[in-house]
Amino acid sequence: MSDKQPMPTGLQLTALDPVFREDPREYLDRLRIEDPVHRDAELGRLFLTRFEDVRAVVSNRSLSVDPRKAQPDSYFRRILAANEPLGAFEPSMLQLDDPDHKRIRGLVSQAFNQRAVDTFRPRIRAITNELLDALTGRDSFDVIAEYAAPLPIIVIAEMLGVEARDLAQFKRWSDARSQIFNVARMPEQTAELAVARQGHDDYFARAIDERRVRRGTDLISALVSAEEAEDRLTQREIVITCDLLLIAGNLTTTDLIGNGVLALLKHPDQLAKLRADPELVPNAVEEILRCDPPVVQTGRLALEPFEIGGIEVKAGEAMTASVLAAGHDPARHSDPHRFDIERADMSHLAFGGGAHFCLGAPLARAEAQIAIPLLFERFPSLRLDPQSAIEHKRVPIFNGLTALWVHFA
Ligand code: HEM
């Protein structure tokens, strides 16, 4: 390997480095072969790239996600430190271990589950059609700004019971909030983040008070009603959960739809198969999640000495599990870089696993399964705009496009 460039370490692996961000697969493939449990001293973590290691770590319920339990120099602590200017750390379920995690997730899942999504499916289709109606008659448009971005925000806002007039404000807050995961953000992004947090918090606190007096059929009402063994969510826990549903669900679903539309436009043979057989739609969405996952990595923390891939992990040490690398592991998937919607083994770890498996997976899948085929059904002659470069977003952890211009042939 001596004739190759040195292995990227540190920040480069967080996708801030343009070379890595535009095409990380080559680096990840090399890491998986040469150093699959890579000790990233710069950022204080182990970086995992093999499917089996990533799966073992994300599904292990004795590992922690609580940054307060991490070693002082670990990656988890850096995220905490970066968020200090925002005030006291108030973890959502994403950063809580049992028993708090089990309790909150149990109560939230009473309100937000597969049944709630299935009931909402016709409305998702209607919202999708309305967005497409607005694009009819145009020569070209940006799939991200005018389709993939508004859809999830309108859907979750309607599910929560947010008024239509508050939608634009909601979108701005949610976009600013996505910087919460960015350890290297600019001071002005931190300031925007603080304003957005206050805006969200005040809005939801008011909405919860209203629902306590008069329940509706929306998700906030269901969260207010959720009860188990005489236990309920506090107002603050509901506010934090609503905020999490927005920051965890909007950008990610936008990226899933955007990455999917791009993959199909770049692979006309796969698009033709999808058009010929709509039953392939669920498979196609899983293949998009495997090949180009909207969240490229998740993390866990060892509370006790632990071993992964023959490497000893110390208590308090952080592990970053690259779900992007895991989805391209030739030990798991044959010809892993090939985009193939008829692949026999579609398994991926794009929604993480174990106790923290993405709670919004049914909603994200429903939106992508409706939005991607409907776009090509309504606009069969859609093509990539050859004049527009494909540019990736500059938010680490998230993997998506800033814009995707298409035109009609
Ligand atoms: C394609 C879209 C999405 C992707 C790729 C994605 C990915 C993820 C990942 C990787 C995790 C962490 C899992 C782990 O560490 O094991 C997660 C957790 C979570 N996601 Fe999603 N997500 C998506 C959409 C959504 C949506 C639409 C919602 C809700 C509206 C949502 C809500 C959540 C919540 C609440 C958690 C925390 C679960 C827990 O800690 O118990 N996600 N998601």
Side-chain angles (χ1 to χ4, degrees), residues 37-50:
V37 182
H38 170 68
R39 194 158 248 123
D40 174 5
E42 212 171 316
L43 280 193
R45 61 184 179 172
L46 292 162
F47 194 92
L48 314 178
T49 40
R50 283 192 297 225

Side-chain angles (χ1 to χ4, degrees), residues 57-59 65 92-96 101-102 104-105 108 112 152 156 159-160 219 241-242 244-257 285 289 292-300 321 323 348-365 367-368 397-398:
V57 161
V58 296
S59 60
V65 291
S92 69
M93 69 177 99
L94 193 59
Q95 292 174 306
L96 281 173
H101 175 262
K102 192 165 187 282
I104 294 176
R105 181 163 170 135
V108 173
F112 187 60
I156 193 70
M159 285 183 96
L160 286 165
L219 199 51
T241 298
C242 290
L244 174 65
L245 295 183
L246 288 164
I247 58 174
N250 289 340
L251 287 183
T252 48
T253 310
T254 298
D255 293 343
L256 173 57
I257 297 168
V285 170
L289 284 160
D292 213 2
V295 177
V296 292
Q297 65 196 43
T298 184
R300 296 290 188 271
V323 305
H348 60 75
L349 300 162
F351 291 122
H356 294 272
F357 180 83
C358 174
L359 199 59
L363 178 59
R365 284 182 163 130
E367 289 182 49
I397 300 179
F398 294 112

Side-chain angles (χ1 to χ4, degrees), residues 85-200:
L86 300 174
F89 174 64
E90 287 184 291
S92 69
M93 69 177 99
L94 193 59
Q95 292 174 306
L96 281 173
D97 296 336
D98 289 346
D100 296 325
H101 175 262
K102 192 165 187 282
R103 181 186 150 262
I104 294 176
R105 181 163 170 135
L107 287 163
V108 173
S109 347
Q110 285 183 23
F112 187 60
N113 51 31
Q114 185 75 53
R115 191 160 26 90
V117 172
D118 288 345
T119 312
F120 213 72
R121 255 186 123 98
R123 193 58 206 132
I124 298 177
R125 181 168 284 275
I127 297 167
T128 309
N129 267 314
E130 282 164 28
L131 289 167
L132 292 171
D133 289 345
L135 297 169
T136 309
R138 298 263 298 271
D139 294 335
S140 65
F141 63 91
D142 175 4
V143 173
I144 303 299
E146 298 181 78
Y147 189 57
L151 179 66
I153 192 123
I154 298 171
V155 168
I156 193 70
E158 270 201 29
M159 285 183 96
L160 286 165
V162 169
E163 303 276 341
R165 62 168 186 270
D166 299 323
L167 263 181
Q169 177 63 70
F170 246 85
K171 170 99 185 76
R172 284 194 291 275
W173 282 334
S174 306
D175 286 349
R177 297 285 289 131
S178 67
Q179 292 294 336
I180 192 102
F181 299 107
N182 185 357
V183 283
R185 63 176 175 255
M186 301 292 143
E188 58 272 21
Q189 291 173 312
T190 303
E192 278 173 28
L193 193 50
V195 172
R197 177 181 176 164
Q198 200 56 55
H200 261 174

Side-chain angles (χ1 to χ4, degrees), residues 309-388:
I311 303 287
E312 192 174 323
V313 187
K314 297 185 217 60
E317 231 181 333
M319 285 165 279
T320 293
S322 171
V323 305
L324 172 60
H328 291 261
D329 183 348
R332 178 75 194 193
H333 302 286
S334 60
D335 197 1
H337 299 324
R338 189 165 47 90
F339 178 66
D340 176 4
I341 65 170
E342 291 178 299
R343 194 175 271 284
D345 181 4
M346 294 279 175
S347 57
H348 60 75
L349 300 162
F351 291 122
H356 294 272
F357 180 83
C358 174
L359 199 59
L363 178 59
R365 284 182 163 130
E367 289 182 49
Q369 288 170 6
I370 292 169
I372 295 173
L374 209 54
L375 176 72
F376 291 110
E377 197 186 298
R378 295 269 313 257
F379 302 131
S381 63
L382 216 61
R383 296 282 178 276
L384 272 179
D385 186 342
Q387 310 296 324
S388 311

Side-chain angles (χ1 to χ4, degrees), residues 261-272:
V261 171
L262 177 64
L264 288 163
L265 287 172
K266 280 167 99 178
H267 298 90
D269 58 321
Q270 301 296 310
L271 180 55

